[in-house]
């Protein structure tokens, strides 16, 4: 809980690659007020560059919305190159800085652990992450 009332006002951001030069590579969920168990049920499409697919990562961050600056609850970073395409069953994940998760089955919701700035478990986020080539109809 980040707020005095024992709850948070969480939202989630997803970023791909170097977001400083392309704001369209950042997606953000809606804020869910006064909860420790938010449900977003939102879908995003991020378009990585060819360079991002080879060298970039997906950064997932959970934030607590506040009046005077938002607080980071926890984060997870995944190399894009480790995300399988739609024709594969699993993808290895890496979590910063030393934690790892063995695999992620694409197209199936998975619980991913997020970590705070002190490298402590901050919670879990359930999501589906899939890399779809541009030539595959959505």
């Amino acid at each position: 809980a980040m707020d005095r009332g024992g709850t948070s006002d969480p939202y989630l951001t997803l970023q791909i690659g170097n977001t400083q030069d392309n704001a369209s590579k950042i997606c953000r969920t809606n804020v869910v007020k006064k909860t420790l168990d938010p449900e977003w049920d939102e879908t995003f499409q991020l378009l990585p560059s060819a360079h991002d697919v080879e060298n970039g990562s997906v950064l997932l961050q959970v934030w607590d919305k506040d009046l005077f600056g938002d607080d980071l609850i926890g984060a997870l970073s995944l190399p894009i190159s480790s995300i399988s395409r739609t024709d594969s069953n699993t993808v290895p994940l890496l979590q910063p800085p030393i934690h790892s998760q063995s695999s992620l089955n694409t197209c199936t919701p998975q619980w991913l652990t997020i970590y705070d700035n002190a490298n402590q478990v901050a919670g879990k986020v359930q999501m589906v992450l899939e890399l779809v080539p541009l030539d595959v109809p959505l």
Side-chain angles (χ1 to χ4, degrees):
M2 301 295 283
D3 296 337
R4 283 189 280 161
T7 62
S8 295
D9 301 320
Y11 66 92
L12 183 140
T13 60
L14 285 173
Q15 301 176 349
I16 275 193
N18 181 0
T19 57
Q20 295 175 350
D21 58 330
N22 188 348
S24 68
K25 294 181 183 179
I26 301 173
C27 296
R28 176 182 159 168
T29 66
N30 292 313
V31 174
V32 180
K33 299 231 182 235
K34 298 183 188 274
T35 185
L36 295 177
D37 190 20
E39 291 187 26
W40 291 291
D41 196 22
E42 296 183 38
T43 300
F44 300 107
Q45 290 183 4
L46 299 171
L47 301 174
S49 67
H51 180 265
D52 288 339
V53 170
E54 294 299 318
N55 303 305
S57 61
V58 175
L59 177 62
L60 178 149
Q61 295 177 307
V62 178
W63 296 88
D64 177 32
K65 180 74 177 160
D66 288 325
L67 288 176
F68 304 107
D70 299 347
D71 299 315
L72 179 65
I73 296 173
L76 167 70
S77 181
L78 308 170
I80 295 173
S81 61
S82 72
I83 301 169
S84 66
R85 296 180 180 258
T86 56
D87 59 348
S88 188
N89 291 329
T90 61
V91 56
L93 300 181
L94 298 177
Q95 298 176 339
I98 59 171
H99 300 283
S100 66
Q101 181 134 357
S102 59
S103 66
L104 173 67
N105 186 351
T106 58
C107 301
T108 302
Q110 299 289 312
W111 287 101
L112 305 176
T113 303
I114 59 171
Y115 297 89
D116 64 17
N117 289 333
N119 201 30
Q120 301 296 311
V121 173
K124 293 190 176 220
V125 175
Q126 186 180 43
M127 65 182 305
V128 173
L129 187 60
E130 181 180 20
L131 183 61
V132 180
L134 289 177
D135 57 350
V136 174
L138 299 176

